[in-house]
């Protein structure tokens, strides 16, 4: 990737900056963190504005450089986060773009890009998290539909989602990885029950999803029957490789704010704190370079990120926790107040080393696929 920007890329940046400067002041105030229906409406409205301005499909259609410029400029300007659109825009949509039929792309991608359809991810089960291939939700073919029964857990945004990227077992007799199928399930289908789970930070951002003989049309299958594990690897490589990219820019901004606060309240005199903030600055700069590398590598190898995603996920999730630990040190006793945004972010940062595959699992992937070490039991 050539890191020198062309005149056309600089023009894209300038146009985007101008548009953000006009658009952001017209946004309504963001809704309360725990009000998911209101957050859905807010996030969908923002996605619709991006779409109308020609930026709705940047994550998919633009060149890697334009995508990175988009992430940099939107984060720097403090534009809303993808929020409830995370799954649709950043991993279900890209999976459908890579693996779906032309009809499926036509049917599902437009509504995602226009902010009309929210997606959630039904992968994890009570007995299948890290060991995802042991999932047991079963789907039995009945005419032109699959009849799905089972339970999913930790399904983010399930309460407000229209669609679910769902993993089911279609061949219980086959070796574990070979009997799985990837389906798009409408969340309003009869037999779907969503029970929200409250987190440490007080918000019900994810849920248990119970499936009782839910009929999912066979036309909603992405990829072949029993080839869902391969499709899942595509989804996870988007989720780990590029989905968190924009957050790195936001972390760099937060780090600057933490340093400014430390200068203002006297904590800056502490050399240990200063050294920690300096190290984090270097860390986030390196992570942004890794994002650039991952995005351009994905473009070069046909659009799907490689194992660089696991390197990024492993280090980014830890650096984010260290950032908010440093913020808490600067805040002092004020860090105990849950109404302080940095405090809420600190609590939610604990989940980053678990969600999308734990740090231990990323290390296993790197050990086996990059270093060629023997497989763990
Ligand atoms: C905020 C958040 C949002 C999430 N959103 C979703 C979602 O929308 N959809 C969805 O499907 N899932 C979601 N998840 C679930 C997430 O994918 C799982 O929590 C994760 O894969 C870990 O699975 P588990 O919780 O069952 O833990 P377990 O797999 O039971 O792991 C427990 C511990 O054992 C360790 N461990 C397990 N196996 C190994 C091994 N082979 N080697 C070394 N250590 C090991 C793990 O690293 C972990 O520390 C979300 C999780 C979080 C925290």
């Amino acid at each position: 990737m050539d890191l020198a920007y062309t005149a056309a890329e600089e023009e894209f940046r300038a146009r985007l900056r101008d548009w953000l400067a006009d658009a952001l002041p017209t946004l309504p105030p963001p809704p309360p963190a725990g009000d998911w229906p209101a957050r859905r409406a807010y996030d969908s409205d923002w996605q619709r504005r991006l779409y109308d301005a020609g930026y709705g499909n940047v994550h998919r259609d633009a060149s890697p450089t334009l995508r990175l410029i988009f992430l940099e400029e939107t984060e720097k300007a403090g534009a809303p986060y993808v929020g409830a659109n995370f799954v649709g825009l950043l991993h279900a949509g890209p999976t459908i773009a890579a693996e779906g039929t032309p009809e499926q792309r036509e049917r599902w991608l437009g509504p995602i890009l226009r902010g009309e359809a929210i997606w959630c991810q039904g992968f994890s089960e009570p007995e299948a998290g890290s060991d995802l291939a042991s999932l047991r939700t079963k789907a039995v073919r009945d005419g032109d539909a699959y009849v799905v029964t089972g339970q999913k857990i930790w399904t983010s945004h399930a309460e407000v989602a229209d669609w679910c990227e769902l993993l089911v077992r279609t061949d219980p007799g086959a070796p574990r990885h070979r009997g799985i199928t990837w389906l798009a399930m409408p969340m309003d289908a009869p037999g779907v029950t969503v029970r929200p789970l409250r987190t440490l930070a007080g918000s019900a951002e994810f849920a248990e999803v119970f499936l009782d003989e839910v009929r999912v049309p066979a036309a909603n299958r992405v990829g072949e029957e029993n080839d869902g594990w391969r499709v899942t690897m595509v989804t996870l490589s988007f989720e780990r490789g590029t989905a968190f990219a924009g957050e790195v820019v936001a972390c760099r901004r937060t780090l600057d704010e933490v340093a400014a606060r430390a200068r203002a309240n006297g904590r800056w005199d502490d050399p240990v704190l200063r050294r920690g903030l300096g190290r984090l600055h270097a860390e986030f700069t390196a992570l942004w370079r890794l994002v650039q590398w991952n995005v351009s590598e994905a473009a070069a190898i046909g659009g799907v990120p490689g194992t660089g995603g696991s390197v990024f996920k492993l280090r980014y999730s830890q650096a984010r926790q260290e950032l908010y630990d440093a913020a808490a040190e600067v805040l002092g006793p004020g860090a105990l107040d849950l109404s302080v945004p940095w405090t809420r972010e600190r609590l939610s940062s604990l989940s980053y080393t678990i969600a999308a595959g734990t740090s231990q699992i990323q290390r296993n992937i790197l050990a086996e696929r990059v270093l060629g070490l023997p497989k763990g039991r």
Side-chain angles (χ1 to χ4, degrees):
M1 175 183 191
D2 184 356
L3 289 177
Y5 296 112
T6 63
E9 286 160 354
E10 288 298 2
E11 197 195 313
F12 172 85
R13 186 192 293 278
R15 250 188 304 122
L16 175 58
R17 256 187 210 167
D18 287 349
W19 181 77
L20 287 166
D22 289 342
L24 293 180
T26 68
L27 286 181
D35 185 345
W36 280 98
R39 284 180 70 175
R40 175 194 164 131
Y42 184 84
D43 297 341
S44 300
D45 170 61
W46 173 241
Q47 180 57 28
R48 179 72 209 201
R49 289 173 192 238
L50 287 171
Y51 180 84
D52 288 343
Y55 299 113
N57 55 358
V58 153
H59 299 292
R60 199 167 67 85
D61 284 352
S63 71
T65 314
L66 291 191
R67 261 184 282 163
L68 292 167
I69 291 174
F70 177 82
L71 289 175
E72 265 187 324
E73 293 302 323
T74 46
E75 288 292 346
K76 268 191 206 154
Y81 178 57
V82 284
N85 287 300
F86 185 89
V87 171
L89 277 175
L90 302 181
H91 55 88
T95 303
I96 292 162
E99 297 290 332
T101 61
E103 295 73 33
Q104 290 174 334
R105 291 202 282 269
E106 177 74 27
R107 179 177 175 201
W108 288 317
L109 295 182
I112 290 174
L113 297 176
R114 291 192 295 274
E116 293 162 1
I118 299 292
W119 284 64
C120 64
Q121 181 188 43
F123 283 16
S124 304
E125 297 181 4
E127 300 301 326
S130 300
D131 189 13
L132 186 57
S134 62
L135 65 93
R136 287 199 295 221
T137 292
K138 68 168 183 190
V140 178
R141 185 72 186 252
D142 178 29
D144 60 359
Y146 290 98
V147 180
V148 181
T149 301
Q151 186 196 340
K152 297 291 171 177
I153 194 167
W154 315 124
T155 315
S156 304
H157 314 140
E159 226 186 326
V160 293
D162 305 295
W163 289 93
C164 179
E165 49 173 10
L166 184 75
L167 295 186
V168 292
R169 185 158 300 284
T170 32
D171 184 353
R176 294 174 343 133
H177 296 84
R178 303 227 184 96
I180 293 172
T181 299
W182 199 108
L183 297 177
M185 179 182 75
M187 290 296 284
D188 61 357
V192 178
T193 306
V194 175
R195 196 163 78 190
L197 293 166
R198 200 156 294 285
T199 69
L200 188 65
S203 151
E205 73 178 59
F206 44 37
E208 291 175 289
V209 178
F210 298 91
L211 306 168
D212 183 12
E213 303 206 335
V214 181
R215 288 187 75 82
V216 179
N220 291 12
R221 189 187 68 224
V222 173
E224 294 303 316
E225 185 171 291
N226 298 325
D227 191 30
W229 188 252
R230 190 188 57 75
V231 183
T232 303
M233 292 304 108
V234 172
T235 309
L236 292 180
S237 62
F238 282 117
E239 188 177 5
R240 292 166 185 165
T242 44
F244 295 107
E247 296 182 17
V248 175
V249 185
C251 283
R252 286 205 295 195
R253 200 180 62 222
T254 303
L255 184 62
D256 289 344
E257 288 164 9
V258 170
R261 179 74 72 91
R263 282 198 188 89
N265 73 6
R267 294 287 289 121
W268 191 250
D269 295 338
D270 178 350
V272 177
L273 179 89
R274 281 203 313 269
R275 198 178 316 126
L277 295 181
R279 197 182 50 71
L280 278 170
H281 184 81
E283 187 86 63
F284 284 116
T285 303
L287 281 165
W288 181 245
R289 295 287 174 247
L290 186 56
V291 164
Q292 292 178 313
W293 191 83
N294 282 346
V295 170
S296 51
E297 185 208 40
I301 61 175
V304 179
T307 37
S310 286
V311 181
F312 173 77
K313 163 75 173 59
L314 179 62
R315 200 45 227 155
Y316 167 62
S317 54
Q318 287 167 0
R320 188 180 176 96
Q321 290 175 356
E322 288 159 21
L323 167 65
Y324 285 104
D325 284 349
E329 259 193 68
V330 169
L331 286 173
L336 295 173
D337 180 354
L338 249 186
S339 67
V340 174
W342 286 351
T343 301
R344 285 201 307 274
E345 288 296 343
R346 186 177 185 215
L347 292 179
S348 92
S349 77
L350 298 174
S351 71
Y352 276 66
T353 45
I354 302 171
T358 67
S359 292
Q360 288 82 1
I361 293 305
Q362 305 310 325
R363 287 195 188 91
N364 285 353
I365 291 171
L366 294 173
E368 289 163 18
R369 294 194 210 152
V370 180
L371 302 176
L373 295 175
K375 251 184 165 334
R377 285 171 189 232

